[in-house]
Amino acid sequence: MSAQTLSPVRPASPATRWSRRAAGALAFAALIELLSRTGLADPEFLPPASEIVVRAVTLLADSAFQAHALTSALAWAIGLCLAAVLAVPLGLLLGSVPIIDAATRSVVEFLRPIPSVALIPLVALVIGTGLQHRVALVVYASLWPILYNTMYGLRGVDPLAKESLRSYGFGPPCRCCCASACPARRPSS
């Protein structure tokens, strides 16, 4: 078979991709319905897909569910904003000052892998179970990705761009630890 006989693969159109996704979701729902109705899966643990859809529609009309969903969305929004307010300046500091980054690296690397779900009992004991509890967990969970993206984004800036900024007067003229004793800052005689 030669290279000329192979036709190039064209990407599927958006309508084709959407129809494939919908067909996959419908096939999965049919599988759940079949497993539950035939008794292969216990309907108490895996209810039929038709019952799940009916229950979801009734929940959307329930005022208690709407209030809980609004509270969760509010906790998410407040927590994400607080995480950004905390993590972006901290990421800028850690990404631009190597001494501070080295001094805090062990603490950051110790706290980062702790999943926020594992902190639920501790946060419930310390803060209580309210909006503050949810906000604290959202802040903790969102802080690390924002912090690390800010740090590595700052480190990933092209050195030529940094030098261009320095030539226009932004930032220190050199990377000395003592900017006042820097030879570049001393007036030439």
Side-chain angles (χ1 to χ4, degrees), residues 33-104:
E33 188 81 28
L34 181 69
L35 290 174
S36 184
R37 297 283 181 197
T38 59
L40 291 172
D42 187 2
E44 187 173 331
F45 297 112
L46 184 66
S50 58
E51 290 180 19
I52 293 172
V53 170
V54 168
R55 180 68 179 144
V57 170
T58 58
L59 270 178
L60 288 175
D62 186 16
S63 61
F65 175 78
Q66 291 172 356
H68 289 298
L70 184 63
T71 303
S72 295
L74 180 65
W76 170 81
I78 292 171
L80 195 58
C81 288
L82 281 174
V85 165
L86 292 172
V88 169
L90 188 60
L92 289 172
L93 181 69
L94 294 176
S96 61
V97 183
I99 294 171
I100 295 175
D101 182 37
T104 59

Side-chain angles (χ1 to χ4, degrees), residues 105-153:
R105 173 70 57 175
S106 61
V107 174
V108 169
E109 290 299 328
F110 173 74
L111 292 174
R112 185 175 63 104
I114 299 173
S116 59
V117 176
L119 296 176
I120 291 175
L122 179 65
V123 173
L125 284 173
V126 173
I127 297 176
T129 58
L131 183 63
Q132 299 90 354
H133 176 252
R134 294 183 191 114
V135 168
L137 291 174
V138 170
V139 167
Y140 183 80
S142 335
L143 183 84
W144 304 112
I146 297 171
L147 176 72
Y148 271 82
N149 280 313
T150 305
M151 285 171 49
Y152 290 119

Side-chain angles (χ1 to χ4, degrees), residues 22-32:
L26 287 174
F28 185 69
L31 178 67
I32 290 174

